[in-house]
Amino acid sequence: MGFGGKELGSHLASFLLGAALPTAFLFFLASDRLGEGLSSISMSWGSRGTTGQPAAPPAQEARDQEVAGFAGLAELLPRVAMEDRTVILTLANEAWTQPGSLLDIYRESFRNGEGTERFLDHVLVIAVDAGGFDRCKAVHPHCYHLDVTKPTNLSSANRFMTKEFLELVWLKLSFQKRILELGYNFLFTDADILWFRNPFRHISVYADMSLSTDYFMDTFAPLNNELNTGFYYMKSTNRSIEMIRYWRAAKARFPDGSEQGVFNNIKHELVSKLQGRIEALETAYFSGFCEFHNDLNKVCTMHANCCIGLANKVLDLRDKAADWRNYTALTPEERKNGVFNKWTPPARCWKTIGWNV
């Protein structure tokens, strides 16, 4: 679904080039507005691009600064990752980690899901402020404090498309790129997502990147679906590193856009220019408030999209968690007969975007 062409280059060429240039073709990307707000420097390990040309090596100082910006990450990842070197990531701040808020609901869904509790120990919570980091450590075994040096308030319950919200959602890309460079795959999920079943069963092993959708149409052009970057999986390959680098760089072309909006603007470029293999995930399995299906026998995750306001997300997600508990209390025969196979409409969230129940 939505796959590009074959990956360019060869291992032999990489070896010969590496022998000639021991710096492994590092290069320094000019940081964008968000990148300047991070303690890390926007630097990437070189990889084979579509042109096959090596990039210029960066200064030693830039390399040292990046390592310092993600201090301890390389040591932390082996403790979090699954056997196939996959980590589950979510982003949190002080507001989202308050007792009873999104992080608690998110973690509880793993325990109440079918076969999902085992994944909880592979979740790395990326805290963007000190308050979120402290609260995370009190309830979860794997937390990482992503230092932000730019004086921006990332601790509040930021509403969609505010300046603070845009800072927050762009913040994750440098961190994710570094994870790919270290040889780890990741599944990123927003904290306003409930887990019900194993989502990896419905993610293609052939895709470089698999993303959820707000609305899914089963067509021969899956990339025409509106992709949602609140839930996406990326494999660690040279191509995926190039894709996330290209995505970050595109922010300069769309300075007022969210990372999701920018991604939808460039998704076809990622296929045509980088031969990226991108998969759109069906809402029947990866559901959300924008489009959910009343078939609890299939659903793997539920995303509080099409919603404005932290309090509205929390309350409507709690309703879905209650629906799930009622469903799982049924016998297999009752489930098969559809005794309880309907979600409570997310009325509060729909009201925020002008929808009626």
Side-chain angles (χ1 to χ4, degrees):
M1 295 171 59
F3 292 158
K6 297 182 178 179
E7 187 172 3
L8 301 178
S10 69
H11 293 299
L12 177 59
S14 298
F15 173 79
L16 295 174
L17 290 172
L21 297 175
T23 54
F25 305 135
L26 299 171
F27 72 93
F28 179 56
L29 295 178
S31 61
D32 55 25
R33 178 171 58 87
L34 176 61
E36 293 170 354
L38 301 177
S39 59
S40 62
I41 299 296
S42 301
M43 184 273 290
S44 315
W45 294 104
S47 60
R48 296 184 300 275
T50 56
T51 63
Q53 297 297 317
Q60 180 66 43
E61 180 181 358
R63 294 198 297 270
D64 292 343
Q65 284 181 297
E66 183 185 52
V67 172
F70 298 111
L73 180 60
E75 293 76 24
L76 177 60
L77 289 175
R79 300 198 297 270
V80 184
M82 305 176 204
E83 290 184 1
D84 67 348
R85 297 177 67 86
T86 297
V87 294
I88 300 168
L89 306 175
T90 194
L91 200 67
N93 63 5
E94 185 173 2
W96 300 351
T97 57
Q98 290 299 305
S101 192
L102 290 182
L103 183 61
D104 283 352
I105 297 172
Y106 176 81
R107 281 172 39 81
E108 189 64 26
S109 72
F110 283 82
R111 297 191 182 96
N112 293 332
E114 295 183 339
T116 55
E117 186 170 8
R118 62 191 175 94
F119 292 117
L120 190 55
D121 195 45
H122 301 293
V123 173
L124 177 59
V125 178
I126 310 164
V128 298
D129 55 22
F133 183 58
D134 290 341
R135 169 63 183 164
C136 175
K137 289 189 297 181
V139 299
H140 189 70
H142 307 302
C143 307
Y144 188 89
H145 186 194
L146 189 60
D147 290 327
V148 181
T149 57
K150 186 175 180 179
T152 301
N153 177 19
L154 297 178
S155 300
S156 61
N158 297 304
R159 286 179 173 263
F160 184 68
M161 293 305 290
T162 63
K163 178 182 178 182
E164 290 76 18
F165 174 85
L166 293 178
E167 293 281 359
L168 194 59
V169 295
W170 277 107
L171 191 59
K172 63 188 180 186
L173 294 188
S174 293
F175 188 83
Q176 292 171 348
K177 182 168 66 67
R178 184 58 180 153
I179 288 177
L180 295 176
E181 291 167 347
L182 289 169
Y184 290 87
N185 318 307
F186 70 81
L187 171 62
F188 175 80
T189 84
D190 280 344
D192 60 346
I193 288 180
L194 301 178
W195 283 54
F196 302 125
R197 293 185 176 91
N198 180 0
F200 293 101
R201 294 177 179 174
H202 302 282
I203 295 176
S204 171
V205 297
Y206 300 104
D208 297 304
M209 188 175 189
S210 302
L211 303 94
S212 62
T213 56
D214 286 339
Y215 311 94
F216 185 83
M217 294 179 291
D218 190 12
T219 67
F220 289 104
L223 286 190
N224 289 340
N225 288 284
E226 189 70 16
L227 302 178
N228 190 305
T229 57
F231 185 102
Y232 59 97
Y233 171 84
M234 293 193 79
K235 271 193 312 193
S236 177
T237 65
N238 289 329
R239 184 163 49 213
S240 65
I241 294 170
E242 290 295 333
M243 289 169 65
I244 206 166
R245 178 185 293 126
Y246 191 96
W247 184 6
R248 285 194 71 244
K251 182 176 184 290
R253 293 157 51 191
F254 308 96
D256 298 324
S258 67
E259 37 59 272
Q260 177 172 305
V262 171
F263 186 88
N264 277 287
N265 285 331
I266 67 167
K267 58 190 177 185
H268 293 287
E269 297 174 23
L270 294 173
V271 174
S272 62
K273 294 183 178 181
L274 302 182
Q275 288 74 55
R277 299 169 179 173
I278 301 176
E279 175 190 30
L281 300 172
E282 297 184 37
T283 53
Y285 301 103
F286 303 90
S287 195
F289 292 176
C290 294
E291 179 178 83
F292 63 78
H293 301 262
N294 283 320
D295 189 351
L296 279 72
N297 294 316
K298 286 185 176 181
V299 65
C300 293
T301 62
M302 174 70 73
H303 189 184
N305 52 12
C306 286
C307 184
I308 300 174
L310 176 60
N312 297 316
K313 287 176 179 281
V314 167
L315 292 172
D316 279 348
L317 283 173
R318 285 177 179 167
D319 286 345
K320 304 303 166 294
D323 290 342
W324 177 255
R325 288 193 297 271
N326 290 333
Y327 166 80
T328 55
L330 301 175
T331 66
E333 189 66 24
E334 288 173 328
R335 293 189 191 187
K336 183 179 180 180
N337 294 333
V339 172
F340 183 90
N341 204 15
K342 187 175 182 179
W343 296 108
T344 300
R348 302 172 189 85
C349 284
W350 283 357
K351 185 178 180 179
T352 66
I353 59 172
W355 290 4
N356 295 319
V357 177

